Structure formats: structure tokens, C-alpha cells
Amino acid sequence: MKLLNKNISSKDGSGTIKLCPDTPDDLWHAYNLLQPPNDLFSCTTLRKVVQTSSTGSTTSQKVHIHLTLRVTKVDFDPDSLQVRISGPNVKESKHVKMGAHHTITLELGRNFTIEKECWDQIFLDRIEEACHPELAAEVAAIVMQPGLAHLCLVTGSITVTKARIDVSIPKKRTGSNNHVKAMERFYEGIYQAVLNHVDFDHVKCVLCGSSGYVKDDFYKYLCEQSVRRGDRKLIENKQKFVLCKASSGHKHALEEVFSDESIMAKMTETKIAKEMGALTRFMRMIDTDPDKAYYGYNHVQKANEELAIDTLLVTDELFRSSDIVTRKKYVQLVESVREHGGTVYVFSALHVTGVQLGQLSGVAAILRYPLPDLDQLELDAAEAAMHEEGEDHYHDDDDEIGGSDEDGEKDLEQEMYERVMEDVADMGL
């Protein structure tokens, strides 16, 4: 991502930022920067304009139009890697009326501007990460089983499936080589997928995972065929292939690959390795020292009030909440943890690590020291709040009861007075 212009007020954080996406990763960052319904998105797009002449004939042509939309909806397609921004036009132009609803598809190399009422620290961190891609190395991963394989590209923010190889493998039979031929077709499919989709200039590591010896047989096939065919790209990068264990050839098996410490040791400088290390440490701490591992906003916020958080784990999905109050409370939590010396990891929802953390409410914390009474403190606070509400209700009832008694006494006195006056009248006095 290229930062072309930045104009943010130091008073209230409002302003505009102009960017240009260079890689598919940048489109994911752009998706996370846009927040309906208050953001304004400006971009040049192509529109078909129909013109009617004085004789009634019509001509159409495509023209470049600069639109400014008030963002009402943002969609990200991880397969086609496209961001679609929808909303009404807020600046009238020659070809587009005010309020006309449009949808723009953001493309690589196209400049765009975002205007916000407040650029908080999470947004600014996202831009910093996007503009310095060298901080997040890329990894390719292949998970396979006989007849099925997935080739994925794991970047600093997203995991993209680049190829799926599915070949029917017959059983081994005596006197038949159909099984061997089918496995060769299967390995050839993976070989071609690696050639077409893995850019070794950027990819630092290619993980090959399977159960049994499928990965070993494929690596042997790759080495032999690359030499025989003279594919220098594979010959020169054979050392980047790392063999590991995976239970299947489905994409979810990546979770097992990234949880292997020996594999993460070879990827220590990558963002995914650091995040996976923090998540693994949290999971183990839940079993070994549960008083130092908490998840859920209420528990984590309470631990933050005690200044006990050493490492905060949070998914970026929480910052995309359409409820501004919800987003602000998570932003304030992140800023508070950083202010008091804690480490914050923001997990991508498109990573296997982000999916795992999302199953634990999306926010978790590793504490500096144990807080065994954290649950009890919350229960005590809840009971105190309930007790205060009960007392208020009791006092209100007392007031109501007292008021009704006074009214009753007044009614009784009035009734007695009326009876006395009737008796006096009857007596002729």
C-alpha cells in the first residue's frame, strides 16, 4: 500500500487519507479501514453514460467519473480478492446526481481517499502495517492426502486458497499399476500448482503437510521432475520446502501445521508465527495456570483495570462492528493495554488463528500475575448492583405506601365530617 496523502486534525482526529493498493493484501486492509455509515469514500470509476441527441438518437460511451460515496455497505470476497463499496453519492457531478446509489469495485493500482470523523489508533496501526509489507513475510502451505490437496498462500493478513487438486485414486491391486499412475497425476497437479501460484521472490517458506508418506513421496517427485525438466525456479528453492504432519488434505488442517513448534521455529520472523505462538501459549495456560488466562470482554476488561494484562489477543472482526460504542470500547481496551506496557496482537479473521480466537469470543488475555478472585470480584460487583437496585425499589415502595396511608386518613376524616354535618342538619340545628 502506498500512502499518497495524509491530512488528519490533531484536535479531534478527523480528516482524510489517500492510498493506493499494490497487492491483494492491501485490499483486505482497505476493507478493514472502511466503516459504515459515517465514512466517505472517493475514487475514480468507469461508468456508462447514455446521451440523447436533438433528433432522439442515443449514444453511449464509458467515461471516467470521480465519485464520493457515503459508505453504507462494504463487502470483501476472499476468493476473487475484491472489495465492493456501496452508498449514495454525496457530491453532484455532470453525470451523477446527488443521492444516486452506486457500487464501486476497488481494484489494484487505483487511488482512493477515505474521510473519517475520527481516525483512532487501530485505523492508524492498520495503515502503518499496510504501508510496510516487509514486516509480514509470506508463507505457502500445501496440505495433502491421497487424491486431495490444497495450496494456500498465507500472508500477513489473509489465507487464500490458490489451488485445489482433486484426483480419484484407485485401490492398489496385484498386477495393476493404475494406483501408481493416478498418484503420479496427483503429484503432477500439485507440481504445476506450485509453479503457477508460488512466487519464490516473496515466499520464504513452503510447508508440505500430510499424514503418512504422501508429503515425502511428493517432495521426491518434485526434486526428480524439476531436475529432469530443468525448472530452475524449483531447483534453486528446494531448501524452502519444509515437510510436516497434517491429518488431512482439507484447509482446516493448516491449524495443525501452524501449531507445530518445530515448524514455527523456522518461521520466527513471520506475523503468523508470532500470533500462533501467543495463541498456543494462551491455550496451554488455560490448562496449566487458568488464573493467568482469561477470555471474554468482561473478564479481560476487569483484568485490565487491575493492570494485569501482559499480552492481549483480539480479532480484527471486533473492530468492524457497525455499533460505534462497541468498536470504541475495544479500541480503548487496546490503547489502555499498550499504554501500560502490554503487547497486543490483532488477529486476522481470515487466518486459522483468527478463526480459533473468534471461537473464544474474539478477545483473550495472558496476565502478568494470577487473579484467582477475578470471577468472585465480578460476582460481588453484580450482587452489589442488584442489592442497590433492590434498596432503591424498597424505598420507592415505602414512599408509595406512606403516601397511600396519608391519603387514606384524609379520606376517613372527610367522611366523618360529612356524617356529623348530616346529623346536625337532621336535628334542625
Side-chain angles (χ1 to χ4, degrees):
M1 187 89 79
K2 292 179 182 177
L3 179 61
L4 303 179
N5 187 27
K6 183 177 180 181
N7 184 17
I8 298 178
S9 171
S10 58
K11 293 182 179 179
D12 57 3
S14 63
T16 62
I17 291 182
K18 188 174 184 180
L19 301 162
C20 179
D22 292 328
T23 66
D25 229 19
D26 295 339
L27 297 177
W28 171 250
H29 289 305
Y31 169 68
N32 281 279
L33 287 172
L34 291 164
Q35 183 106 21
N38 297 319
D39 288 2
L40 297 180
F41 176 84
S42 301
C43 184
T44 301
T45 183
L46 215 58
R47 285 289 184 270
K48 184 178 180 181
V49 177
V50 179
Q51 295 178 337
T52 305
S53 66
S54 57
T55 60
S57 61
T58 59
T59 58
S60 63
Q61 60 176 345
K62 289 186 176 181
V63 296
H64 287 277
I65 302 174
H66 188 80
L67 294 178
T68 300
L69 307 181
R70 183 170 297 280
V71 181
T72 58
K73 185 180 179 183
V74 187
D75 292 318
F76 178 78
D77 187 348
D79 295 324
S80 61
L81 293 174
Q82 288 184 337
V83 181
R84 286 182 288 273
I85 303 97
S86 302
N89 181 43
V90 297
K91 291 185 180 180
E92 191 169 3
S93 65
K94 179 181 178 182
H95 303 289
V96 182
K97 296 180 180 179
M98 278 280 286
H101 196 278
H102 282 268
T103 298
I104 298 176
T105 300
L106 185 60
E107 299 176 353
L108 297 178
R110 180 181 293 180
N111 299 345
F112 66 93
T113 303
I114 300 176
E115 182 178 347
K116 288 182 179 291
E117 294 178 355
C118 179
W119 288 89
D120 58 43
Q121 192 58 44
I122 298 298
F123 286 132
L124 297 178
D125 289 345
R126 172 73 66 174
I127 292 173
E128 183 71 16
E129 179 184 347
C131 294
H132 296 85
E134 66 277 2
L135 300 178
E138 293 183 348
V139 177
I142 310 169
V143 286
M144 60 185 84
Q145 67 187 50
L148 177 65
H150 282 84
L151 171 62
C152 301
L153 184 64
V154 184
T155 68
S157 302
I158 57 176
T159 301
V160 184
T161 302
K162 303 300 291 184
R164 173 188 167 96
I165 299 91
D166 195 351
V167 177
S168 178
I169 307 294
K171 294 182 179 180
K172 293 181 180 179
R173 288 185 173 85
T174 305
S176 173
N177 61 352
N178 289 337
H179 176 82
V180 176
K181 290 182 178 179
M183 289 301 293
E184 287 182 355
R185 289 199 305 273
F186 176 59
Y187 293 146
E188 179 62 24
I190 303 175
Y191 184 96
Q192 292 299 328
V194 172
L195 276 178
N196 295 331
H197 298 294
V198 178
D199 183 0
F200 287 99
D201 293 334
H202 296 93
V203 172
K204 295 186 176 182
C205 179
V206 181
L207 304 177
C208 295
S210 76
S211 58
Y213 296 97
V214 179
K215 60 183 180 300
D216 302 275
D217 293 341
F218 166 71
Y219 184 69
K220 182 179 178 182
Y221 178 88
L222 181 140
C223 293
E224 291 176 352
Q225 293 298 319
S226 60
V227 173
R228 189 173 67 84
R229 302 176 189 183
D231 290 328
R232 295 190 61 82
K233 187 165 72 169
L234 292 177
I235 295 173
E236 294 173 355
N237 293 281
K238 285 190 296 184
Q239 71 280 2
K240 292 185 178 180
F241 285 79
V242 179
L243 306 184
C244 52
K245 291 182 180 180
S247 61
S248 72
H250 295 279
K251 187 178 177 180
H252 63 76
L254 286 173
E255 181 181 326
E256 306 165 21
V257 174
F258 290 131
S259 61
D260 189 334
E261 289 187 358
S262 61
I263 300 301
M264 289 296 102
K266 299 177 182 180
M267 302 163 54
T268 52
E269 297 304 316
T270 63
K271 183 174 182 283
I272 183 68
K274 294 176 182 178
E275 291 176 353
M276 195 68 210
L279 185 60
T280 302
R281 190 156 58 97
F282 172 78
M283 293 295 191
R284 288 182 177 175
M285 199 165 285
I286 287 181
D287 293 331
T288 59
D289 196 356
D291 292 336
K292 291 179 65 177
Y294 287 93
Y295 61 91
Y297 177 78
N298 291 334
H299 285 84
V300 173
Q301 176 60 26
K302 193 66 180 177
N304 183 50
E305 291 174 5
E306 302 291 331
L307 305 182
I309 296 180
D310 177 65
T311 304
L312 178 68
L313 292 70
V314 59
T315 63
D316 57 9
E317 196 167 10
L318 297 175
F319 301 114
R320 291 200 299 273
S321 174
S322 56
D323 183 9
I324 296 177
V325 176
T326 301
R327 175 186 166 80
K328 279 187 176 179
K329 74 178 185 180
Y330 284 106
V331 171
Q332 289 170 356
L333 175 63
V334 169
E335 291 177 347
S336 177
V337 170
R338 285 176 175 164
E339 183 181 343
H340 295 104
T343 304
V344 178
Y345 291 102
V346 180
F347 288 66
S348 170
L350 292 187
H351 269 324
V352 289
T353 52
V355 173
Q356 276 185 283
L357 184 58
Q359 295 169 352
L360 296 171
S361 78
V363 60
I366 300 172
L367 308 188
R368 296 187 176 98
Y369 50 87
L371 286 177
D373 299 328
L374 191 59
D375 289 331
Q376 189 60 41
L377 288 173
E378 286 198 351
L379 289 173
D380 292 343
E383 289 178 1
M386 291 177 63
H387 182 66
E388 289 177 2
E389 289 179 2
E391 286 187 348
D392 293 341
H393 183 67
Y394 176 74
H395 289 313
D396 292 342
D397 289 345
D398 284 349
D399 294 340
E400 290 177 5
I401 293 170
S404 61
D405 289 344
E406 291 176 1
D407 293 341
E409 290 176 359
K410 290 179 180 178
D411 292 341
L412 184 59
E413 290 176 357
Q414 180 68 24
E415 185 178 351
M416 290 177 66
Y417 175 76
E418 289 176 355
R419 285 182 181 180
V420 170
M421 294 304 292
E422 287 177 1
D423 292 340
V424 170
D426 292 341
M427 293 171 66
L429 297 176

